[in-house]
Amino acid sequence: MKGIHSPIAGVVYPLAQRATEYFANDAWVDATVGQILRETAQRHPERIAFICDDVSLTFAELDDTSERLGAALLEMGLNTGDRAIFQLGTSLQTVIVLMACFKAGIVPVCSLPQHREVEIGQLANKASARGYFVQADFGRDDLVAFARGMLAQSSTLKHLIVVRGALAGLANVDSLIADMPLNLARKRLARVKLGSEDVLSFQLSGGTTGTPKIIPRFHAEYLGHSRDLAKLYQVDEHSKVIWSLPLLHNAGQLYALLPPLLFGMTTVLMSRVDIPLMLDLIERHQVTHALSIGPVAPQLLAYQEVKKHDLRSLKMFATMSRSEILEAHLNVPCSNLYGLTEGLLFGAAPDAPQFVRHQTQGTSGCVFDELRLLDPDSEQPVGPGQMGELCFRGPATLNGYFDDPAANHGAFTSDGFYRSGDMMTAHVIEGVTHYTFEGRLRDNVNRGGEKIGCEEVESFVCRHPAIADAKLVAMPDPIYGEKGCIFIIPRTGAVLPDLKGLSEFLVGQGLAKFKSPERIELIDVFPVTKVGKLDKPALKRVLAERMALEEVRAS
């Protein structure tokens, strides 16, 4: 099972020496995701693997349907090693499609339904994607019509497959499954050459520019990463996890998608965030673990009827920040977390000391991760208690962005540690080092877990004929953590758009709507540092002063 059986040009694979080491110390799992699913389905065929919208899927059902779909995709013309754009929400059908692709060796490009011409065009071109999965009933937009338009523009996209819907002339998942006998499917997939070191999926990095950076994830390391994270949170075969955010996210797959396969436990999926429903589902299904990387925790804090719900089954709730406030609100152990798609996740166990859960982001679940806090300029370790840039290397760490030598050039330290761009401080508690997030070096807005590159948005805003220049900064938001505020220098005599007009302009240019700024501030000239560079911290101070003045006036 070890080895690279279906190599993909442009992928930076781990060095053979490190692969040998990670297999030897069990940091990597020597299996493919498809193999793990088949084995779990044999042990627990009737056990429920996933629940969504009051419909459940047993391990046997998931194994059988994904076998049939995986074989059908190969028969229709997709090949092992091909990449496929994914614009799917969180549903049981998404689980089946992902598992089918994992078995067939078709590599999902984990985009979002909210992405538009800019993002999908760049991703399809960068990944040379041939397949395109699109959900017919997601939101109010016609994603199928959009996908058809993208196919017409692309030189690589060939196969459009519709999920949760049937349209004349287009392949759809239900028909593909129905038309493929299970016995033939198993024979077809048995011929697939796939090893544990092959690429599993293409995840996306939240960068500072508009060019998508693609992160290859591999079967062996992803399974090991998910297993270690689950153990950190004390998830086992008796646990039940709930997940209400995009399943295509790195966190969604590591926390909610793979643990059922690894442990034989159940994940409850929600197709959208609905706080009363979430609490009802926790009570109804006796959920033990909940995690949020987005706006779930702030919405929970705003919900005043928590006491109506029986949450005694819930052992922990992990969130990006403010865990001490959430714990008091829910009366459930809560902890902060931290994660990068480049291969590092921090967390804390439900019974960890209160300081660890509330005042730090925890630590890695993998004992073989090497973590350093370095001075960003000199790469020298900082002193005890001092803030430094978190740099790391380990079994799940990015080896290099896909087909992107320029991005790889500045992504690592001189001795091969990935540079997170995040500033941390370290705290040794009971002999274990835990880390507290202090801020970012890189220029982006973290809107509910979605990283918005400031440079990308600025370049699109500056296309507007009324705008001479623009700079985007993060502003605090009680629900999403951060939103984007755009500082604008208008052109003389021009009529500036309001927020709605600016958003419509940006979406019309092909930018995803969630990247649109949510506040506009006018300014005559941008502040600069002593060496003449743009001073964004000064812009943030200007914004904070204006927002504070608004609060005073409002009160």
Side-chain angles (χ1 to χ4, degrees):
M1 183 60 67
K2 295 176 185 176
I4 303 165
H5 297 270
S6 297
I8 297 174
V11 171
V12 183
Y13 290 89
L15 296 174
Q17 179 183 353
R18 288 198 170 274
T20 300
E21 175 188 339
Y22 294 145
F23 279 124
N25 61 29
D26 196 38
W28 284 4
V29 176
D30 186 18
T32 66
V33 170
Q35 179 185 347
I36 293 293
L37 172 56
R38 292 174 183 126
E39 292 173 355
T40 303
Q42 288 181 345
R43 291 196 309 272
H44 309 293
E46 300 307 315
R47 186 177 291 180
I48 293 175
F50 295 92
I51 302 169
C52 187
D53 297 332
D54 294 326
V55 180
S56 62
L57 194 64
T58 67
F59 284 103
E61 290 169 338
L62 176 57
D63 187 38
D64 290 352
T65 52
S66 59
E67 292 276 305
R68 295 165 71 181
L69 179 59
L73 294 172
L74 294 174
E75 289 298 305
M76 74 180 293
L78 287 168
N79 303 307
T80 298
D82 279 350
R83 278 74 73 192
I85 298 292
F86 269 57
Q87 283 198 285
L88 304 179
T90 299
S91 69
L92 295 183
Q93 289 85 350
T94 298
V95 174
I96 293 169
V97 175
L98 281 168
M99 292 303 162
C101 288
F102 292 161
K103 287 180 173 180
I106 298 165
V107 178
V109 180
C110 296
S111 50
L112 295 172
Q114 293 86 354
H115 283 154
R116 286 300 175 264
E117 290 89 348
V118 171
E119 297 86 6
I120 298 300
Q122 290 175 337
L123 287 170
N125 180 63
K126 183 80 174 176
S128 299
R130 294 186 68 241
Y132 195 152
F133 293 90
V134 64
Q135 183 169 321
D137 64 350
F138 188 91
R140 290 173 291 183
D141 294 334
D142 189 343
L143 276 183
V144 177
F146 169 74
R148 276 177 154 158
M150 295 307 299
L151 239 73
Q153 299 175 24
S154 173
S155 61
T156 63
L157 291 171
K158 302 299 180 186
H159 300 281
L160 179 60
I161 303 103
V162 177
V163 182
R164 293 173 65 93
L167 286 87
L170 293 178
N172 71 83
V173 163
D174 291 339
S175 296
L176 289 171
I177 293 170
D179 293 341
M180 173 58 68
L182 182 58
N183 62 328
L184 293 181
R186 294 200 188 283
K187 290 179 182 178
R188 179 65 184 87
L189 289 181
R191 303 201 305 268
V192 171
K193 294 181 179 179
L194 206 62
S196 61
E197 295 177 70
D198 277 309
V199 175
L200 174 73
S201 65
F202 275 2
Q203 284 286 348
L204 307 183
S205 173
T208 59
T209 67
T211 304
K213 293 202 294 289
I214 294 173
I215 301 168
R217 303 304 302 255
F218 308 91
H219 289 261
E221 60 91 358
Y222 220 44
L223 286 167
H225 200 185
S226 178
R227 177 203 59 198
D228 292 343
L229 175 67
K231 289 182 177 180
L232 176 66
Y233 285 133
Q234 299 176 356
V235 169
D236 57 28
E237 65 173 317
H238 306 294
S239 303
K240 286 188 178 179
V241 164
I242 193 165
W243 182 257
S244 61
L245 298 166
L247 195 57
L248 292 173
H249 271 166
N250 180 62
Q253 295 190 30
L254 289 171
Y255 176 76
L257 182 69
L258 295 184
L261 280 58
L262 288 161
F263 299 99
M265 41 76 70
T266 302
T267 288
V268 179
L269 298 172
M270 297 181 66
S271 56
R272 60 187 177 86
V273 176
D274 182 322
I275 297 303
L277 177 59
M278 173 187 284
L279 298 181
D280 285 343
L281 290 172
I282 290 172
E283 182 176 350
R284 187 189 319 165
H285 297 296
Q286 295 295 284
V287 168
T288 59
H289 293 75
L291 181 146
S292 166
I293 60 167
V296 176
Q299 290 186 35
L300 270 169
L301 288 170
Y303 182 65
Q304 298 302 314
E305 299 182 346
V306 170
K307 292 183 178 179
K308 289 185 176 180
H309 305 271
D310 184 354
L311 304 180
R312 285 176 294 178
S313 67
L314 201 57
K315 295 181 179 179
M316 73 163 298
F317 196 111
T319 179
M320 292 176 69
S321 61
R322 303 170 70 193
S323 60
E324 69 280 10
I325 302 173
L326 188 63
E327 182 168 312
H329 186 63
L330 296 179
N331 196 29
V332 168
C334 296
S335 63
N336 296 325
L337 60 87
Y338 169 86
L340 288 174
T341 310
E342 281 81 358
L344 183 68
L345 294 173
F346 283 165
D351 57 1
Q354 193 173 76
F355 180 87
V356 171
R357 290 188 290 107
H358 296 169
Q359 304 304 318
T360 81
Q361 270 59 45
T363 192
S364 171
C366 179
V367 297
F368 301 105
D369 275 332
E370 302 173 72
L371 308 171
R372 296 177 178 175
L373 296 184
L374 304 179
D375 176 82
D377 297 321
S378 68
E379 293 191 7
Q380 294 299 307
V382 300
Q386 292 185 326
M387 191 183 347
E389 182 185 4
L390 177 68
C391 300
F392 59 91
R393 181 175 66 189
T397 303
L398 169 78
N399 303 285
Y401 294 107
F402 172 71
D403 195 24
D404 203 337
N408 293 334
H409 178 71
F412 300 89
T413 63
S414 55
D415 55 351
F417 280 66
Y418 179 76
R419 300 189 60 168
S420 72
D422 291 329
M423 302 297 287
M424 298 263 186
T425 51
H427 308 270
V428 180
I429 311 295
E430 298 180 358
V432 178
T433 303
H434 302 271
Y435 296 85
T436 298
F437 176 77
E438 304 289 355
R440 287 190 299 274
L441 286 173
R442 295 175 182 168
D443 194 14
N444 57 37
V445 175
N446 188 349
R447 188 186 190 275
E450 296 292 348
K451 301 285 183 25
I452 301 171
C454 291
E455 290 180 21
E456 177 188 24
V457 176
E458 290 163 1
S459 68
F460 274 85
V461 170
C462 288
R463 294 181 184 180
H464 195 285
I467 296 171
D469 202 357
K471 299 298 176 186
L472 188 74
V473 298
M475 64 178 178
D477 182 80
I479 300 298
Y480 289 93
E482 292 180 349
K483 287 184 178 179
C485 171
I486 193 77
F487 278 85
I488 288 174
I489 298 176
R491 294 189 184 277
T492 304
V495 178
L496 284 173
D498 58 10
L499 271 177
K500 183 173 182 292
L502 180 60
S503 178
E504 290 173 349
F505 171 80
L506 296 175
V507 171
Q509 294 288 309
L511 194 69
K513 187 176 181 180
F514 72 86
K515 296 181 180 179
S516 295
E518 292 170 87
R519 181 184 175 106
I520 294 174
E521 289 290 338
L522 301 184
I523 196 166
D524 295 326
V525 61
F526 296 128
V528 295
T529 64
K530 291 180 180 179
V531 294
K533 292 185 177 181
L534 175 70
D535 190 349
K536 279 207 169 178
L539 275 181
K540 291 182 180 181
R541 290 193 293 272
V542 170
L543 175 60
E545 291 169 1
R546 293 183 183 183
M547 293 177 72
L549 184 59
E550 288 174 1
E551 289 185 12
V552 171
R553 288 172 176 169
S555 61

